[in-house]
Amino acid sequence: MKYGYFDDRNREYVITQPDTPLPWINYLGCQAYFGIISNTAGGYSFYRDARLRRISRYRYNNAPFDLGGRYIYLRDDETNEFWSPSWQPTQSDIVEYTCRHGMGYTTIGSSYKGIEAHTRYFVPLDENLEIWQLSVTNHRNTRATLKGFASIEFCLWDAQDDATNFQRNFSTGQVEVEDGVVYHKTEYRERRNHFAYFGCSAPSRFDTQREAFLGRYRGWDKPKTVEAGELTNSIAYGWSPIGAHQVNIELDPEETAQFVFVLGYHENPVEKKFDPPGSQIVNKRTVKPVLAKYLNPAGADAAFEKLRQYWENTLGIFQVNTPDAHTNRMVNIWNAYQCMATFNMSRSASFYESGIGRGLGFRDSNQDLLGFVHMVPSRARERILDLAATQLPTGGAYHQYQPLTKRGNNDIGGGFNDDPHWLIVGVSAYLKETGDWSILDEPVQYDNEPGSEKPLYEHLQRSFHYTLERLGPHGLPLIGRADWNDCLNLNCFSDTPGQSFQTTTNKEGKVAESVFIAGLFVYAGRELAAIADRRGLKDEAALYRSEAGKMEGVINEHGWDGDWFLRAYDDFGAKIGSKECEEGRVFIESNGFCALAGIGLEDGKALKAMNAMRDHLATPHGIVVQQPAYSRYYLQLGEISSYPPGYKENAGIFCHVNPWVMIGETRLGRGDAAFDYYTRINPSAREEISDLHRCEPYVYAQMIAGKDAPTFGEAKNSWLTGTAAWNYYAISQWILGIRTSLDGLEIAPVIPQKWPGFTAKRRFRGVAYSITIQRKGPGNSISLTVDGEPVTGSVVPIPTDGRKDVKVTGILS
Ligand code: GLC
Ligand code: GLC
């Protein structure tokens, strides 16, 4: 069953039933001010950091699941009935409900007894605020006298503290109300220079104290004031500051009225905090003109149009037209859009990530670049430099850093031995996209220590050497706390409830080795060699190649199990991911990554490994992490065996790693298999089974329950996952084969046999490429013609004669 449909022309997913299996969300904002919004207007907003600058409050882990939001109520003054056009929180019997999640905006509305109402929510570009545009139409044949209410519950900034420290927080809340605008200024009197504001285009009455608005023992579903039809002009002093506005609406038949609400965030310079100086009154001089601009519907419409153009332009960088509608929709719209969200949020704030835990992951953010770098290269550049500045002098890396402070997170620390290599992968993706070699010369600190600056290139060198200095008994890389699989904790040996599997370490870490890191090392080593070559560092390039080659030898000798690649050796030196194992006999990560890295392409190992994936791990819902699932807790394996079989790393379908197998299949030239795996987890292709899948059909989820789970096929943890970038990368660069390289755009499709071809448009290094691929034979060998001239090889050279439009034709035979 479906809960809506794709409107590809408008780049929207239209939800037509409010009680979706789970809240289906969207992100507002793509620069500094962000909001999460569900299909029934739930969610919250924050400035840059979901933990430290939370603007509005949300209640996780509460029933109903999605509570707290940007709630609007309408009230009919003749019948005294009230309802929410977004269904929540009143859950009234509305009709014609629609929620349109689009690129950076969401419009939710419905009709109730002849009154149609829609609210469009979005964050204008380059502003730290969000706009709610409410339009109300009277379809009755009599005049309607209505009231509208808009409400938001403020968070007292630090979301963690806000949810726990009530003894203090119930006494700190403060607001001001001026010209009908509510200013939330808790702690502004002391060390905070920021405040939030909530304005309205037609203010009449307001409330700022939650209890005055809701009434005793009442929830957001039936506020006392809305029921009564009048707000009380309450001024919060402690307790729970909110912003609520009342607008009075008179509509003739078929008349429409529009109201604008603006929720914003602002920081004042310390010396200009108060106005007049010396008073305790918030200086509002900067925000007043901004409010005036956007509370005007014309100003709001113009900002919306700019946002629309921004996405038109951003998505226009890569557009494809293939025989498969799901591919087109994901590549052209939703997968690219999700890559923007994962880049912005890393794994911090979604409906599954609380925004108070993890900051930006080192490995995660580097991988996210694979799907993002072409959209806003300048921000990718900045991110790379921020990440590299948290690298430790050893070449190791903090596993995470806080976006607001940009400093490594000491609680989790480092020691995840795959981390440093992802910096090479990220930088390489950036260089291939932009050709901006200057980034390698940027001075970057280690561990954010002033004075420790070294060129970014040196960071990459240290990343590489980090592994060479940490090899285990077989010559494979030591795993540390974990590798890509955060739950393979081979040095943890935790038997105490509540300990972190990631940071508890009971073993010295001198024995357990990772074949996955070995594959990653080979891959990253060769990428680094190619970079060194271009810098004229021949000896260095040779060193990277020879070390990568040696590691390949070690993998062949100690990392091969006969029919597939081993996964690891544990602290006893016992094999993981081997025929010898009772459970966890075959794993996806080492096999996928080794094949992706080209290991075993020549001697048949990659082929065998990919066949093993097909025979042992592939299911109709995607490829599981390993088999057989761990049926009990293994002290020596850690968190992986803590999950019930079929969930998460314990044999769930971890969508992040499926693309490694897709890419592995393309390296073997098997386009049908690659595309088949791509389709199995493609959310759009799963739309028809929304009751089983349950998560949004327009974005990837981190996990789909594996075959060992009774909920096989059910997705969980949507939006913030490396799945977004890797699937985008696999389909665009390896299956469709439009691949960035250091020397130009490579065109090397490995598409299904029955596809007659496809077309694509790609803007790359200032040139617009129109690409037409035609299949003339069953294979993957390509003959290219560039502006009518045949070209040898598969790389389209970057024009040196100033051409800005290039036509490429590729014939597959
Ligand atoms: C989560 C983490 C990621 C890790 C993966 C597998 O997605 O964010 O860093 O690689 O789980 O454990
Ligand atoms: C848990 C999750 C894993 C994630 C890790 C990050 O271990 O199972 O997916 O990577 O937390 O902290």
Side-chain angles (χ1 to χ4, degrees), residues 483-558:
D483 62 18
W484 174 87
N485 190 327
D486 266 340
C487 298
L488 202 56
N489 315 115
L490 305 182
N491 295 303
C492 176
F493 284 70
S494 171
D495 57 8
T496 305
Q499 282 182 333
S500 156
F501 288 105
Q502 271 79 39
T503 56
T504 305
T505 307
N506 285 308
K507 296 289 161 178
E508 263 192 287
K510 297 270 164 44
V511 180
E513 300 169 296
S514 162
V515 178
F516 167 77
I517 300 181
L520 176 60
F521 174 85
V522 171
Y523 179 79
R526 291 185 177 146
E527 296 285 292
L528 190 54
I531 294 169
D533 269 339
R534 302 302 188 294
R535 303 201 89 192
L537 304 167
K538 295 291 163 208
D539 293 348
E540 243 187 70
L543 171 81
Y544 300 141
R545 286 205 175 90
S546 92
E547 291 298 340
K550 272 196 237 162
M551 186 61 78
E552 199 169 341
V554 177
I555 295 174
N556 283 329
E557 201 179 331
H558 298 293

Side-chain angles (χ1 to χ4, degrees), residues 358 486-487 502 639 643 648-649 654 702:
R358 305 199 254 173
D486 266 340
C487 298
Q502 271 79 39
E639 186 170 2
Y643 288 111
K648 297 275 286 184
E649 284 86 343
F654 226 90
Q702 179 198 61

Side-chain angles (χ1 to χ4, degrees), residues 346-347 353 358 361 363-364 367 399-400 418-419 422 483-488 502 589 648-649 654 656-657 660 702 717 720-722:
S346 191
R347 309 296 172 264
E353 302 279 8
R358 305 199 254 173
R363 113 164 40 96
D364 296 333
Q367 291 172 82
H399 200 45
Q400 292 157 8
D418 63 317
D419 271 336
W422 296 113
D483 62 18
W484 174 87
N485 190 327
D486 266 340
C487 298
L488 202 56
Q502 271 79 39
E589 303 99 309
K648 297 275 286 184
E649 284 86 343
F654 226 90
H656 181 143
V657 285
W660 300 350
Q702 179 198 61
N717 195 358
L720 304 185
T721 157

